[in-house]
Amino acid sequence: MSIELLFENRKTVGRKLWLVIKDNGYTKSSFSKLTGISRPTLNKLIDGDINNLATFENHLQKIFDKQIINADKLLKYSPKYQEKEETKLALSDNAPNEHSRNSRAQKMFDILEDIVHLCELYQT
Amino acid sequence: MKGTIDDFKRYLSMDKSIKICILDNCSVEFLTRVQNEISYKMVFASYDIILIPQWVWNEVTDSNNRVNYITELQNALERVEIINEQDYTKLVDYKEAELYYLFQYSCDYIARLVSFMKRKITKNRPLEELEPYEEWLTTFYEQGLDGKELSNGRKQKKNAGEISIAVLSHILSFYYTELVDTITVFSNDRDAYEFISSAKRKFREDEKFKYREYISITFKSNDCLIYEWKNSGYINEGKLDAFVREYRQMRSTKFTRMKQDKSVEELDTTIDNQTFLEFLNDETVHIIF
């Protein structure tokens, strides 16, 4: 696969790269550490926002060098796993910074938290 | 640790069937107490390398006897490595989202810890957006685990050692299948057993892990060790009674027993020393933990 073709399809390459990162268990931060691509540049690569061919090639090469995926497979990559619907849990704590709850209130909150977690376990 | 984590990875890749022992603090204490009768050669002859996670090592260092035992072991066996939890990311080749799951599933035994991880570490974000591992690991151990300051000034963290052992054993189990033959955890702490066992159930439910090849993680509690030493002839039959009474306490023991129709029942109950001595001579009993 030529680098020019990948560059022409850089938006798709970015989306595929994001899938590669997810499927292989990396975080953006760890992928950045592994490949030596900075976090802001990695974000641009994922968003398909690198508009200079040489820069694009330079960064993609760092990924190919680590043998995570090769140029031929990147554009054709399809996700390994189905997106799992995670339970969304929203918590709000608007107490002042220095506020500490009394032990009875804290105990109640701890119990509530355990109940929320149990609900989550049984739901999945 | 004598070498770096990269040296350790190189060592793992040199052989194809490495037998690994992971040591918990309570087992080191037990081995220290019995060392006049059971030498470390008898205990560790089957293993190529002995690993101690850093948090366990911190607990070991509360006792000079335990430190001396490990130091002697290091001098005699060469391959005794203390593994810093910060280096776990290198052991999984920077797959830090997966590493997060190894921690979360290892904590599944304690609902409060899972809640903590979701609130303070993932914060409802996709895992791919996690902060660097070093940062969230520090948050987890410093804020997630209950702690107290010991008289020697060390900050003790509840379950830190067991969680470090559980995660390390799962890393070796999933990421080094071609290279490792045996992963045995030496621990007499029921929490260590439960952390690893409950994580295994979670891995079986997660499609990212459930189809993967893995190496089984086995355990040797103090009871298992006594059983092994008795069968190997390391403890003289005539001294068995005194040995058990000296070094063993009544504890909850997990074991199987073969019934008359050859079916096997699983039991988990408190066993006193007298019953344990009977177990040692009962071929229908097999101690699990």
Side-chain angles (χ1 to χ4, degrees), chain B residues 45-87:
Chain B
S46 316
Y47 302 100
D48 299 307
I49 187 162
I50 297 155
L51 304 179
I52 305 174
Q54 183 67 51
W55 269 103
V56 174
W57 177 248
N58 294 348
E59 293 167 8
V60 168
T61 57
D62 288 337
S63 148
N64 287 336
N65 282 342
R66 293 197 294 264
V67 171
N68 291 341
Y69 185 85
I70 297 297
T71 308
E72 273 185 43
L73 207 57
Q74 275 176 320
N75 293 336
L77 304 179
E78 286 192 19
R79 278 287 164 193
V80 180
E81 303 284 0
I82 294 155
I83 307 284
N84 193 318
E85 290 79 7
Q86 296 279 358
D87 287 327

mmCIF file of all heavy atoms in Angstrom, chain B residues 45-87:
data_model
loop_
_atom_site.group_PDB
_atom_site.id
_atom_site.type_symbol
_atom_site.label_atom_id
_atom_site.label_comp_id
_atom_site.label_asym_id
_atom_site.label_seq_id
_atom_site.Cartn_x
_atom_site.Cartn_y
_atom_site.Cartn_z
ATOM 1 N N ALA B 45 13.263 -25.886 44.932
ATOM 2 C CA ALA B 45 13.969 -26.693 43.923
ATOM 3 C C ALA B 45 13.231 -26.743 42.588
ATOM 4 O O ALA B 45 13.863 -26.848 41.533
ATOM 5 C CB ALA B 45 14.186 -28.108 44.463
ATOM 6 N N SER B 46 11.907 -26.648 42.616
ATOM 7 C CA SER B 46 11.138 -26.799 41.368
ATOM 8 C C SER B 46 11.070 -25.520 40.540
ATOM 9 O O SER B 46 10.501 -25.550 39.443
ATOM 10 C CB SER B 46 9.690 -27.178 41.684
ATOM 11 O OG SER B 46 9.627 -28.148 42.657
ATOM 12 N N TYR B 47 11.584 -24.399 41.053
ATOM 13 C CA TYR B 47 11.352 -23.116 40.362
ATOM 14 C C TYR B 47 12.619 -22.543 39.741
ATOM 15 O O TYR B 47 13.706 -22.673 40.287
ATOM 16 C CB TYR B 47 10.744 -22.103 41.343
ATOM 17 C CG TYR B 47 9.455 -22.642 41.923
ATOM 18 C CD1 TYR B 47 9.426 -23.209 43.193
ATOM 19 C CD2 TYR B 47 8.295 -22.647 41.173
ATOM 20 C CE1 TYR B 47 8.266 -23.756 43.713
ATOM 21 C CE2 TYR B 47 7.120 -23.195 41.674
ATOM 22 C CZ TYR B 47 7.116 -23.745 42.948
ATOM 23 O OH TYR B 47 5.960 -24.301 43.445
ATOM 24 N N ASP B 48 12.433 -21.884 38.585
ATOM 25 C CA ASP B 48 13.561 -21.229 37.913
ATOM 26 C C ASP B 48 13.759 -19.820 38.427
ATOM 27 O O ASP B 48 14.860 -19.286 38.386
ATOM 28 C CB ASP B 48 13.287 -21.160 36.399
ATOM 29 C CG ASP B 48 13.144 -22.542 35.797
ATOM 30 O OD1 ASP B 48 14.047 -23.355 36.004
ATOM 31 O OD2 ASP B 48 12.108 -22.808 35.161
ATOM 32 N N ILE B 49 12.672 -19.210 38.854
ATOM 33 C CA ILE B 49 12.765 -17.807 39.269
ATOM 34 C C ILE B 49 11.717 -17.522 40.351
ATOM 35 O O ILE B 49 10.621 -18.090 40.332
ATOM 36 C CB ILE B 49 12.605 -16.852 38.050
ATOM 37 C CG1 ILE B 49 12.875 -15.406 38.443
ATOM 38 C CG2 ILE B 49 11.245 -16.982 37.390
ATOM 39 C CD1 ILE B 49 13.155 -14.487 37.264
ATOM 40 N N ILE B 50 12.102 -16.669 41.286
ATOM 41 C CA ILE B 50 11.180 -16.288 42.373
ATOM 42 C C ILE B 50 10.927 -14.790 42.246
ATOM 43 O O ILE B 50 11.871 -14.001 42.154
ATOM 44 C CB ILE B 50 11.800 -16.626 43.735
ATOM 45 C CG1 ILE B 50 11.990 -18.143 43.829
ATOM 46 C CG2 ILE B 50 10.932 -16.130 44.888
ATOM 47 C CD1 ILE B 50 13.061 -18.550 44.776
ATOM 48 N N LEU B 51 9.656 -14.420 42.218
ATOM 49 C CA LEU B 51 9.296 -13.008 42.049
ATOM 50 C C LEU B 51 8.610 -12.475 43.300
ATOM 51 O O LEU B 51 7.803 -13.167 43.920
ATOM 52 C CB LEU B 51 8.350 -12.841 40.855
ATOM 53 C CG LEU B 51 8.836 -13.372 39.505
ATOM 54 C CD1 LEU B 51 7.776 -13.143 38.439
ATOM 55 C CD2 LEU B 51 10.147 -12.699 39.095
ATOM 56 N N ILE B 52 8.943 -11.245 43.641
ATOM 57 C CA ILE B 52 8.296 -10.573 44.770
ATOM 58 C C ILE B 52 7.872 -9.185 44.301
ATOM 59 O O ILE B 52 8.725 -8.354 43.966
ATOM 60 C CB ILE B 52 9.265 -10.432 45.970
ATOM 61 C CG1 ILE B 52 9.837 -11.799 46.353
ATOM 62 C CG2 ILE B 52 8.575 -9.776 47.167
ATOM 63 C CD1 ILE B 52 10.906 -11.744 47.434
ATOM 64 N N PRO B 53 6.562 -8.920 44.241
ATOM 65 C CA PRO B 53 6.148 -7.548 43.873
ATOM 66 C C PRO B 53 6.627 -6.534 44.915
ATOM 67 O O PRO B 53 6.774 -6.879 46.093
ATOM 68 C CB PRO B 53 4.622 -7.633 43.866
ATOM 69 C CG PRO B 53 4.303 -9.077 43.717
ATOM 70 C CD PRO B 53 5.409 -9.802 44.430
ATOM 71 N N GLN B 54 6.847 -5.311 44.451
ATOM 72 C CA GLN B 54 7.412 -4.275 45.333
ATOM 73 C C GLN B 54 6.603 -4.078 46.615
ATOM 74 O O GLN B 54 7.172 -3.936 47.704
ATOM 75 C CB GLN B 54 7.493 -2.950 44.560
ATOM 76 C CG GLN B 54 8.115 -1.801 45.331
ATOM 77 C CD GLN B 54 9.600 -2.011 45.612
ATOM 78 O OE1 GLN B 54 10.373 -2.308 44.700
ATOM 79 N NE2 GLN B 54 9.987 -1.875 46.874
ATOM 80 N N TRP B 55 5.254 -4.067 46.491
ATOM 81 C CA TRP B 55 4.441 -3.833 47.690
ATOM 82 C C TRP B 55 4.605 -4.966 48.697
ATOM 83 O O TRP B 55 4.533 -4.751 49.911
ATOM 84 C CB TRP B 55 2.959 -3.658 47.329
ATOM 85 C CG TRP B 55 2.616 -2.226 47.080
ATOM 86 C CD1 TRP B 55 2.440 -1.646 45.866
ATOM 87 C CD2 TRP B 55 2.448 -1.188 48.051
ATOM 88 N NE1 TRP B 55 2.168 -0.306 46.024
ATOM 89 C CE2 TRP B 55 2.168 0.002 47.348
ATOM 90 C CE3 TRP B 55 2.514 -1.151 49.440
ATOM 91 C CZ2 TRP B 55 1.933 1.214 47.986
ATOM 92 C CZ3 TRP B 55 2.289 0.059 50.092
ATOM 93 C CH2 TRP B 55 2.007 1.219 49.368
ATOM 94 N N VAL B 56 4.828 -6.189 48.200
ATOM 95 C CA VAL B 56 5.082 -7.325 49.103
ATOM 96 C C VAL B 56 6.459 -7.138 49.743
ATOM 97 O O VAL B 56 6.628 -7.340 50.951
ATOM 98 C CB VAL B 56 5.004 -8.666 48.333
ATOM 99 C CG1 VAL B 56 5.419 -9.823 49.225
ATOM 100 C CG2 VAL B 56 3.601 -8.884 47.782
ATOM 101 N N TRP B 57 7.414 -6.712 48.923
ATOM 102 C CA TRP B 57 8.768 -6.484 49.441
ATOM 103 C C TRP B 57 8.743 -5.437 50.565
ATOM 104 O O TRP B 57 9.433 -5.571 51.574
ATOM 105 C CB TRP B 57 9.716 -6.068 48.319
ATOM 106 C CG TRP B 57 11.108 -5.762 48.803
ATOM 107 C CD1 TRP B 57 11.719 -4.550 48.817
ATOM 108 C CD2 TRP B 57 12.033 -6.688 49.372
ATOM 109 N NE1 TRP B 57 12.974 -4.652 49.360
ATOM 110 C CE2 TRP B 57 13.197 -5.964 49.718
ATOM 111 C CE3 TRP B 57 12.001 -8.049 49.638
ATOM 112 C CZ2 TRP B 57 14.310 -6.555 50.298
ATOM 113 C CZ3 TRP B 57 13.108 -8.649 50.226
ATOM 114 C CH2 TRP B 57 14.252 -7.906 50.549
ATOM 115 N N ASN B 58 7.934 -4.383 50.381
ATOM 116 C CA ASN B 58 7.820 -3.366 51.435
ATOM 117 C C ASN B 58 7.376 -4.009 52.749
ATOM 118 O O ASN B 58 7.844 -3.623 53.822
ATOM 119 C CB ASN B 58 6.803 -2.283 51.041
ATOM 120 C CG ASN B 58 7.255 -1.476 49.850
ATOM 121 O OD1 ASN B 58 8.411 -1.560 49.440
ATOM 122 N ND2 ASN B 58 6.349 -0.716 49.263
ATOM 123 N N GLU B 59 6.470 -4.985 52.658
ATOM 124 C CA GLU B 59 6.014 -5.678 53.873
ATOM 125 C C GLU B 59 7.114 -6.576 54.421
ATOM 126 O O GLU B 59 7.298 -6.679 55.638
ATOM 127 C CB GLU B 59 4.770 -6.525 53.561
ATOM 128 C CG GLU B 59 3.546 -5.691 53.205
ATOM 129 C CD GLU B 59 2.415 -6.528 52.600
ATOM 130 O OE1 GLU B 59 2.501 -7.768 52.581
ATOM 131 O OE2 GLU B 59 1.432 -5.914 52.132
ATOM 132 N N VAL B 60 7.856 -7.209 53.521
ATOM 133 C CA VAL B 60 8.962 -8.090 53.949
ATOM 134 C C VAL B 60 9.967 -7.304 54.776
ATOM 135 O O VAL B 60 10.474 -7.779 55.797
ATOM 136 C CB VAL B 60 9.643 -8.738 52.708
ATOM 137 C CG1 VAL B 60 10.954 -9.415 53.083
ATOM 138 C CG2 VAL B 60 8.705 -9.746 52.043
ATOM 139 N N THR B 61 10.215 -6.058 54.358
ATOM 140 C CA THR B 61 11.270 -5.279 55.014
ATOM 141 C C THR B 61 10.906 -4.820 56.431
ATOM 142 O O THR B 61 11.742 -4.260 57.128
ATOM 143 C CB THR B 61 11.659 -4.028 54.187
ATOM 144 O OG1 THR B 61 10.473 -3.248 53.988
ATOM 145 C CG2 THR B 61 12.268 -4.400 52.855
ATOM 146 N N ASP B 62 9.675 -5.087 56.861
ATOM 147 C CA ASP B 62 9.326 -4.780 58.259
ATOM 148 C C ASP B 62 10.016 -5.737 59.227
ATOM 149 O O ASP B 62 9.993 -5.519 60.439
ATOM 150 C CB ASP B 62 7.799 -4.885 58.459
ATOM 151 C CG ASP B 62 7.073 -3.727 57.780
ATOM 152 O OD1 ASP B 62 7.715 -2.680 57.571
ATOM 153 O OD2 ASP B 62 5.887 -3.885 57.460
ATOM 154 N N SER B 63 10.592 -6.807 58.716
ATOM 155 C CA SER B 63 11.249 -7.788 59.595
ATOM 156 C C SER B 63 12.644 -8.108 59.075
ATOM 157 O O SER B 63 12.810 -8.462 57.897
ATOM 158 C CB SER B 63 10.399 -9.067 59.639
ATOM 159 O OG SER B 63 11.214 -10.198 59.807
ATOM 160 N N ASN B 64 13.638 -7.974 59.959
ATOM 161 C CA ASN B 64 15.009 -8.299 59.551
ATOM 162 C C ASN B 64 15.148 -9.768 59.181
ATOM 163 O O ASN B 64 15.898 -10.113 58.273
ATOM 164 C CB ASN B 64 15.997 -7.972 60.681
ATOM 165 C CG ASN B 64 16.178 -6.475 60.825
ATOM 166 O OD1 ASN B 64 15.962 -5.729 59.865
ATOM 167 N ND2 ASN B 64 16.554 -6.031 62.012
ATOM 168 N N ASN B 65 14.427 -10.634 59.913
ATOM 169 C CA ASN B 65 14.515 -12.073 59.626
ATOM 170 C C ASN B 65 14.075 -12.372 58.196
ATOM 171 O O ASN B 65 14.688 -13.162 57.491
ATOM 172 C CB ASN B 65 13.609 -12.875 60.579
ATOM 173 C CG ASN B 65 14.261 -13.031 61.939
ATOM 174 O OD1 ASN B 65 15.477 -12.856 62.076
ATOM 175 N ND2 ASN B 65 13.464 -13.350 62.938
ATOM 176 N N ARG B 66 12.976 -11.721 57.800
ATOM 177 C CA ARG B 66 12.459 -11.979 56.451
ATOM 178 C C ARG B 66 13.425 -11.427 55.393
ATOM 179 O O ARG B 66 13.684 -12.081 54.385
ATOM 180 C CB ARG B 66 11.066 -11.345 56.281
ATOM 181 C CG ARG B 66 9.999 -12.012 57.142
ATOM 182 C CD ARG B 66 8.601 -11.662 56.675
ATOM 183 N NE ARG B 66 8.256 -10.256 56.835
ATOM 184 C CZ ARG B 66 7.575 -9.755 57.873
ATOM 185 N NH1 ARG B 66 7.174 -10.551 58.849
ATOM 186 N NH2 ARG B 66 7.297 -8.472 57.929
ATOM 187 N N VAL B 67 13.976 -10.245 55.661
ATOM 188 C CA VAL B 67 14.934 -9.660 54.698
ATOM 189 C C VAL B 67 16.159 -10.566 54.578
ATOM 190 O O VAL B 67 16.640 -10.856 53.471
ATOM 191 C CB VAL B 67 15.360 -8.233 55.137
ATOM 192 C CG1 VAL B 67 16.501 -7.710 54.265
ATOM 193 C CG2 VAL B 67 14.170 -7.284 55.058
ATOM 194 N N ASN B 68 16.662 -11.060 55.736
ATOM 195 C CA ASN B 68 17.835 -11.939 55.700
ATOM 196 C C ASN B 68 17.550 -13.215 54.906
ATOM 197 O O ASN B 68 18.393 -13.702 54.158
ATOM 198 C CB ASN B 68 18.271 -12.316 57.127
ATOM 199 C CG ASN B 68 18.834 -11.104 57.858
ATOM 200 O OD1 ASN B 68 19.221 -10.121 57.216
ATOM 201 N ND2 ASN B 68 18.856 -11.150 59.178
ATOM 202 N N TYR B 69 16.342 -13.740 55.094
ATOM 203 C CA TYR B 69 15.968 -14.976 54.380
ATOM 204 C C TYR B 69 16.005 -14.740 52.865
ATOM 205 O O TYR B 69 16.580 -15.528 52.117
ATOM 206 C CB TYR B 69 14.565 -15.412 54.819
ATOM 207 C CG TYR B 69 14.130 -16.741 54.246
ATOM 208 C CD1 TYR B 69 14.472 -17.947 54.850
ATOM 209 C CD2 TYR B 69 13.381 -16.790 53.069
ATOM 210 C CE1 TYR B 69 14.071 -19.175 54.311
ATOM 211 C CE2 TYR B 69 12.980 -18.010 52.516
ATOM 212 C CZ TYR B 69 13.320 -19.181 53.152
ATOM 213 O OH TYR B 69 12.931 -20.390 52.608
ATOM 214 N N ILE B 70 15.389 -13.627 52.436
ATOM 215 C CA ILE B 70 15.345 -13.340 50.990
ATOM 216 C C ILE B 70 16.748 -13.027 50.456
ATOM 217 O O ILE B 70 17.112 -13.435 49.350
ATOM 218 C CB ILE B 70 14.375 -12.166 50.693
ATOM 219 C CG1 ILE B 70 12.934 -12.535 51.097
ATOM 220 C CG2 ILE B 70 14.421 -11.756 49.220
ATOM 221 C CD1 ILE B 70 12.319 -13.690 50.340
ATOM 222 N N THR B 71 17.544 -12.323 51.273
ATOM 223 C CA THR B 71 18.913 -12.003 50.837
ATOM 224 C C THR B 71 19.712 -13.295 50.629
ATOM 225 O O THR B 71 20.425 -13.449 49.637
ATOM 226 C CB THR B 71 19.610 -11.091 51.870
ATOM 227 O OG1 THR B 71 18.754 -9.986 52.122
ATOM 228 C CG2 THR B 71 20.945 -10.589 51.371
ATOM 229 N N GLU B 72 19.570 -14.228 51.571
ATOM 230 C CA GLU B 72 20.264 -15.525 51.428
ATOM 231 C C GLU B 72 19.783 -16.251 50.177
ATOM 232 O O GLU B 72 20.563 -16.861 49.454
ATOM 233 C CB GLU B 72 19.991 -16.406 52.652
ATOM 234 C CG GLU B 72 20.959 -16.164 53.795
ATOM 235 C CD GLU B 72 20.723 -17.146 54.929
ATOM 236 O OE1 GLU B 72 20.520 -18.335 54.645
ATOM 237 O OE2 GLU B 72 20.702 -16.703 56.092
ATOM 238 N N LEU B 73 18.486 -16.161 49.976
ATOM 239 C CA LEU B 73 17.882 -16.808 48.809
ATOM 240 C C LEU B 73 18.452 -16.201 47.523
ATOM 241 O O LEU B 73 18.801 -16.920 46.582
ATOM 242 C CB LEU B 73 16.367 -16.557 48.872
ATOM 243 C CG LEU B 73 15.422 -17.548 48.227
ATOM 244 C CD1 LEU B 73 15.619 -18.935 48.798
ATOM 245 C CD2 LEU B 73 13.968 -17.105 48.466
ATOM 246 N N GLN B 74 18.567 -14.872 47.496
ATOM 247 C CA GLN B 74 19.100 -14.177 46.313
ATOM 248 C C GLN B 74 20.539 -14.607 46.045
ATOM 249 O O GLN B 74 20.927 -14.831 44.910
ATOM 250 C CB GLN B 74 19.051 -12.666 46.506
ATOM 251 C CG GLN B 74 17.705 -12.068 46.137
ATOM 252 C CD GLN B 74 17.622 -10.585 46.406
ATOM 253 O OE1 GLN B 74 18.131 -10.108 47.429
ATOM 254 N NE2 GLN B 74 16.963 -9.859 45.530
ATOM 255 N N ASN B 75 21.328 -14.727 47.141
ATOM 256 C CA ASN B 75 22.729 -15.109 46.970
ATOM 257 C C ASN B 75 22.857 -16.545 46.469
ATOM 258 O O ASN B 75 23.737 -16.859 45.675
ATOM 259 C CB ASN B 75 23.484 -14.946 48.283
ATOM 260 C CG ASN B 75 23.583 -13.481 48.675
ATOM 261 O OD1 ASN B 75 23.510 -12.599 47.807
ATOM 262 N ND2 ASN B 75 23.713 -13.210 49.959
ATOM 263 N N ALA B 76 21.952 -17.398 46.950
ATOM 264 C CA ALA B 76 22.067 -18.814 46.609
ATOM 265 C C ALA B 76 21.453 -19.149 45.250
ATOM 266 O O ALA B 76 22.008 -19.951 44.504
ATOM 267 C CB ALA B 76 21.393 -19.649 47.694
ATOM 268 N N LEU B 77 20.329 -18.533 44.944
ATOM 269 C CA LEU B 77 19.590 -18.952 43.744
ATOM 270 C C LEU B 77 19.732 -17.992 42.568
ATOM 271 O O LEU B 77 19.301 -18.286 41.469
ATOM 272 C CB LEU B 77 18.102 -19.115 44.067
ATOM 273 C CG LEU B 77 17.734 -20.069 45.202
ATOM 274 C CD1 LEU B 77 16.231 -20.098 45.396
ATOM 275 C CD2 LEU B 77 18.228 -21.480 44.922
ATOM 276 N N GLU B 78 20.314 -16.846 42.790
ATOM 277 C CA GLU B 78 20.509 -15.814 41.754
ATOM 278 C C GLU B 78 19.212 -15.194 41.259
ATOM 279 O O GLU B 78 19.056 -14.005 41.255
ATOM 280 C CB GLU B 78 21.282 -16.377 40.549
ATOM 281 C CG GLU B 78 22.749 -16.571 40.850
ATOM 282 C CD GLU B 78 23.558 -16.853 39.612
ATOM 283 O OE1 GLU B 78 23.103 -16.556 38.502
ATOM 284 O OE2 GLU B 78 24.666 -17.390 39.787
ATOM 285 N N ARG B 79 18.270 -16.013 40.842
ATOM 286 C CA ARG B 79 17.074 -15.455 40.216
ATOM 287 C C ARG B 79 15.958 -15.194 41.229
ATOM 288 O O ARG B 79 14.988 -15.942 41.301
ATOM 289 C CB ARG B 79 16.585 -16.393 39.109
ATOM 290 C CG ARG B 79 17.340 -16.207 37.812
ATOM 291 C CD ARG B 79 16.924 -14.918 37.135
ATOM 292 N NE ARG B 79 17.889 -14.528 36.091
ATOM 293 C CZ ARG B 79 17.903 -13.347 35.519
ATOM 294 N NH1 ARG B 79 17.048 -12.421 35.878
ATOM 295 N NH2 ARG B 79 18.787 -13.058 34.598
ATOM 296 N N VAL B 80 16.127 -14.183 42.036
ATOM 297 C CA VAL B 80 15.066 -13.698 42.911
ATOM 298 C C VAL B 80 14.885 -12.237 42.544
ATOM 299 O O VAL B 80 15.816 -11.440 42.673
ATOM 300 C CB VAL B 80 15.437 -13.840 44.406
ATOM 301 C CG1 VAL B 80 14.310 -13.322 45.283
ATOM 302 C CG2 VAL B 80 15.767 -15.278 44.750
ATOM 303 N N GLU B 81 13.741 -11.878 42.019
ATOM 304 C CA GLU B 81 13.557 -10.531 41.491
ATOM 305 C C GLU B 81 12.425 -9.803 42.211
ATOM 306 O O GLU B 81 11.353 -10.375 42.408
ATOM 307 C CB GLU B 81 13.216 -10.582 39.984
ATOM 308 C CG GLU B 81 14.232 -11.305 39.125
ATOM 309 C CD GLU B 81 15.492 -10.506 38.851
ATOM 310 O OE1 GLU B 81 15.590 -9.357 39.330
ATOM 311 O OE2 GLU B 81 16.369 -11.032 38.161
ATOM 312 N N ILE B 82 12.693 -8.570 42.565
ATOM 313 C CA ILE B 82 11.634 -7.728 43.125
ATOM 314 C C ILE B 82 11.095 -6.876 41.965
ATOM 315 O O ILE B 82 11.847 -6.150 41.316
ATOM 316 C CB ILE B 82 12.179 -6.859 44.267
ATOM 317 C CG1 ILE B 82 12.588 -7.778 45.416
ATOM 318 C CG2 ILE B 82 11.132 -5.848 44.743
ATOM 319 C CD1 ILE B 82 13.628 -7.225 46.326
ATOM 320 N N ILE B 83 9.810 -7.018 41.700
ATOM 321 C CA ILE B 83 9.221 -6.353 40.532
ATOM 322 C C ILE B 83 8.408 -5.146 40.986
ATOM 323 O O ILE B 83 7.426 -5.281 41.721
ATOM 324 C CB ILE B 83 8.286 -7.316 39.757
ATOM 325 C CG1 ILE B 83 8.985 -8.628 39.412
ATOM 326 C CG2 ILE B 83 7.723 -6.635 38.513
ATOM 327 C CD1 ILE B 83 9.970 -8.570 38.288
ATOM 328 N N ASN B 84 8.833 -3.974 40.534
ATOM 329 C CA ASN B 84 8.092 -2.760 40.858
ATOM 330 C C ASN B 84 6.792 -2.713 40.042
ATOM 331 O O ASN B 84 6.811 -2.936 38.832
ATOM 332 C CB ASN B 84 8.962 -1.538 40.528
ATOM 333 C CG ASN B 84 8.395 -0.280 41.129
ATOM 334 O OD1 ASN B 84 7.186 -0.048 41.095
ATOM 335 N ND2 ASN B 84 9.258 0.525 41.707
ATOM 336 N N GLU B 85 5.697 -2.399 40.700
ATOM 337 C CA GLU B 85 4.399 -2.357 40.007
ATOM 338 C C GLU B 85 4.410 -1.337 38.866
ATOM 339 O O GLU B 85 3.677 -1.489 37.886
ATOM 340 C CB GLU B 85 3.261 -2.009 40.977
ATOM 341 C CG GLU B 85 2.922 -3.106 41.982
ATOM 342 C CD GLU B 85 3.882 -3.160 43.148
ATOM 343 O OE1 GLU B 85 4.759 -2.263 43.262
ATOM 344 O OE2 GLU B 85 3.780 -4.094 43.969
ATOM 345 N N GLN B 86 5.241 -0.298 38.987
ATOM 346 C CA GLN B 86 5.330 0.707 37.906
ATOM 347 C C GLN B 86 5.807 0.068 36.601
ATOM 348 O O GLN B 86 5.541 0.572 35.517
ATOM 349 C CB GLN B 86 6.322 1.823 38.294
ATOM 350 C CG GLN B 86 5.905 2.643 39.493
ATOM 351 C CD GLN B 86 4.896 3.731 39.124
ATOM 352 O OE1 GLN B 86 4.530 3.893 37.982
ATOM 353 N NE2 GLN B 86 4.425 4.460 40.131
ATOM 354 N N ASP B 87 6.531 -1.051 36.721
ATOM 355 C CA ASP B 87 7.072 -1.702 35.524
ATOM 356 C C ASP B 87 6.091 -2.673 34.874
ATOM 357 O O ASP B 87 6.404 -3.254 33.835
ATOM 358 C CB ASP B 87 8.365 -2.464 35.878
ATOM 359 C CG ASP B 87 9.521 -1.524 36.133
ATOM 360 O OD1 ASP B 87 9.561 -0.468 35.490
ATOM 361 O OD2 ASP B 87 10.380 -1.849 36.973
#
